[in-house]
Amino acid sequence: MIYGNIIGDLQIKTTTKNEIGETIENWVSKYSIKGFIDLISGSSNYLNFNSKLQESTHVFICDYLHLSSIKATDARMMINSKIYDVLLIDDPMELHQHIEIYLKYI
């Protein structure tokens, strides 16, 4: 068992239409998962007009959950009030031992 020391809320995007037909995105917490988060790569470069942009990718490792119905394109994680895009949800070698959720900090 992995257990972990961080709680991550896996959120799913839902859409509704308002009175004039515009699409409104809402994020709904689906799972509260306990695990570990670790940095894979990151940089903080200066771009045009001396603006600085932080980019980093992380991996969140947790005990096995059946998450095959969740698409990475419609998911994000909130960890310590920070929002991460979900890039990939992986069950390594389909052993059902643990889940690796690859994230990008936004």
Side-chain angles (χ1 to χ4, degrees):
M1 302 301 278
I2 291 178
Y3 301 112
N5 64 348
I6 300 272
I7 301 289
D9 286 326
L10 184 62
Q11 299 178 337
I12 306 301
K13 179 173 59 174
T14 60
T15 57
T16 57
K17 298 231 181 222
N18 66 9
E19 304 82 39
I20 61 172
E22 293 176 316
T23 302
I24 307 293
E25 291 183 356
N26 299 310
W27 292 95
V28 178
S29 291
K30 184 82 170 177
Y31 296 100
S32 184
I33 308 168
K34 193 170 189 179
F36 294 102
I37 189 167
D38 195 18
L39 178 71
I40 295 175
S41 68
S43 66
S44 183
N45 299 323
Y46 284 99
L47 299 176
N48 297 337
F49 308 109
N50 289 328
S51 61
K52 197 172 189 179
L53 178 68
Q54 174 186 342
E55 288 188 353
S56 59
T57 53
H58 295 77
V59 63
F60 186 83
I61 300 172
C62 61
D63 289 325
Y64 178 76
L65 291 169
H66 184 70
L67 299 176
S68 62
S69 64
I70 296 177
K71 293 186 226 169
T73 55
D74 295 332
R76 74 179 188 181
M77 282 195 84
M78 186 168 292
I79 302 169
N80 291 335
S81 300
K82 295 178 184 172
I83 298 172
Y84 298 85
D85 275 337
V86 174
L87 301 175
L88 174 70
I89 300 173
D90 187 27
D91 176 9
M93 298 188 297
E94 296 189 23
L95 294 174
H96 307 312
Q97 297 292 319
H98 71 281
I99 295 290
E100 296 175 357
I101 303 173
Y102 292 88
L103 307 168
K104 182 173 183 174
Y105 179 70
I106 55 172

